[in-house]
Amino acid sequence: MSTTLARSTTATLTSPRVTRALVVTEARRMLRNPVPWLFLALATWGMWTVEPEPGEWPGSSYEAIIPSVVSLLFGISVAVAVPFHRARHDIAPAAPVSEARRTLARLLAALPFVAVAAAYAALVAWRERDLGGLWLGMEPGRTTEAFHTTAELSQLVVLSLLAIAVGAAMGRRMSRLVAIVPLLFVMWFVVMVYWLFGGPAVTPFSILQVQPIHLPVGPATADPLSFPSDWLLVGAPHTSGGWERQWISPALSWWHDVWLLGLTSLLLAAAWPRSGRRALLLVGAVLAVTGIVGQHVVIP
C-alpha cells in the first residue's frame, strides 16, 4: 500500500498541474519586479522622442527608433535573473519536483515578457504610421514614408527571448546577484551601440541588427541618376566618399532571427540542468550557423 501511495504522490508531483502551479508562482514574482516596467516606460519614452527632422543624417530616425527597445530588454534580463539566481544550486536527486521541471516553470513564467515585447513592436509600428513614415536616402533616391517591415519588428520579439535566456544563464551561473545587474547593464549598453556592427561583414553577427545597411555603389563622380530609381542613395557630405545605397532586406531580418534563436538556445543550455544541455547546445549551434550562413547569402 505504501508503494502504491508513493507512486501516486510521484505521479501527482510530476503532473502538468504541478508545473502550472510553479509557473503561476514564478510569474507573479517576476511580474511584481518593478525593474522591467520602469525600463519599459524608458524604452517607450525613447521611442516616442524619435521624429524625422530637416537636415538629419539620411535614415537617422529610421535607425534610432528600434534601439530604444534595449532598455526593456535590460529590465527583462534583470527580472529573470533574480529567480534563477535564487535557485542556482542543484537540488537533491530525490527531490519531489525535479530541477528540470522547476527550470522549465521559471522559463515559462517569463513568457509574459515576450507578449510585452510584441506589444512594444506593435506600438513602434503604430508610431511610425502616426508620424507618416520615416526618412531614408537623399535626393535623388529618397523617401519620407519608410516603415519598418514585419521582419525587422519581429526582431524585438526574438530579442525578448534572448533577454530571458541571458538573465537565466547569468542568474544561474553567477554567484553574486549584486554583480549581475551592472554586468547586464554594460552588456545591453554595448548592444545599443549598434553602429559598431553596421558593416556588411559584421552585421550578421550583431545582437541588435539595425537596417539599412550601407553598400558602396559608386565614386563621388558618378551620376546618381545612373543608378536604379528604386535605390535609396546617400552621398557626400554624409559619406566618406562616393555614393552608397541604403539597403533594407526582410530576408536578412528573418535570417537574423534564426541567428538570435540559436544564441538563445546556447544560453539556455547554461541555465538548464545537466540532463538536456546537449540537446539545447546542438539545436543552438545548428540555428546559429544556419542564421549566419543565411545572412551572408542574402547580403549582396
Side-chain angles (χ1 to χ4, degrees):
M1 183 175 180
S2 61
T3 303
T4 303
L5 180 60
R7 289 177 179 174
S8 177
T9 302
T10 301
T12 301
L13 291 173
T14 57
S15 68
R17 183 179 300 177
V18 173
T19 303
R20 189 161 51 248
L22 289 172
V23 170
V24 171
T25 300
E26 293 290 356
R28 285 175 179 171
R29 290 173 177 171
M30 291 186 196
L31 295 176
R32 287 173 181 171
N33 191 321
V35 174
W37 308 115
L38 290 173
F39 282 89
L40 170 61
L42 180 61
T44 303
W45 174 81
M47 176 265 293
W48 213 263
T49 59
V50 175
E51 292 187 31
E53 297 180 0
E56 71 173 21
W57 161 268
S60 177
S61 54
Y62 192 94
E63 294 178 2
I65 201 166
I66 290 294
S68 57
V69 75
V70 171
S71 297
L72 171 60
L73 301 177
F74 166 74
I76 292 173
S77 292
V78 171
V80 174
V82 172
F84 271 88
H85 183 266
R86 185 181 63 246
R88 68 187 183 281
H89 300 296
D90 292 332
I91 62 175
V97 180
S98 68
E99 180 57 30
R101 185 172 289 268
R102 293 173 185 269
T103 301
L104 176 62
R106 287 191 288 271
L107 292 174
L108 292 175
L111 290 182
F113 291 127
V114 180
V116 173
Y120 182 86
L123 182 62
V124 171
W126 178 85
R127 174 60 175 165
E128 291 180 350
R129 279 153 182 79
D130 182 58
L131 290 171
L134 305 175
W135 301 350
L136 283 174
M138 56 182 287
E139 299 294 350
R142 174 180 172 84
T143 180
T144 59
E145 299 177 351
F147 302 99
H148 282 89
T149 63
T150 301
E152 291 174 275
L153 293 173
S154 71
Q155 179 185 196
L156 306 185
V157 180
V158 179
L159 280 171
S160 68
L161 292 172
L162 181 64
I164 290 172
V166 168
M170 294 184 66
R172 172 83 176 181
R173 296 301 166 190
M174 294 190 64
S175 59
R176 294 182 179 275
L177 182 62
V178 69
I180 294 177
V181 175
L183 189 58
L184 283 171
F185 179 82
V186 171
M187 189 203 77
W188 285 115
F189 175 79
V190 172
V191 168
M192 182 175 277
V193 188
Y194 62 90
W195 54 85
L196 294 176
F197 307 94
V202 183
T203 192
F205 300 94
S206 63
I207 301 299
L208 178 65
Q209 185 182 87
V210 176
Q211 297 190 38
I213 295 175
H214 291 254
L215 303 174
V217 293
T221 55
D223 181 3
L225 295 176
S226 65
F227 301 120
S229 60
D230 60 339
W231 281 12
L232 299 168
L233 299 174
V234 178
H238 301 290
T239 61
S240 57
W243 288 93
E244 294 180 353
R245 175 190 177 191
Q246 289 188 313
W247 181 71
I248 294 175
S249 169
L252 179 65
S253 295
W254 289 124
W255 282 118
H256 189 70
D257 285 348
V258 176
W259 155 248
L260 293 177
L261 289 173
L263 292 183
T264 299
S265 183
L266 292 173
L267 287 167
L268 287 178
W272 199 264
R274 291 183 179 178
S275 59
R277 284 182 193 168
R278 289 184 179 179
L280 286 170
L281 289 172
L282 178 60
V283 170
V286 171
L287 288 175
V289 172
T290 302
I292 290 296
V293 172
Q295 290 180 85
H296 277 294
V297 170
V298 169
I299 295 177

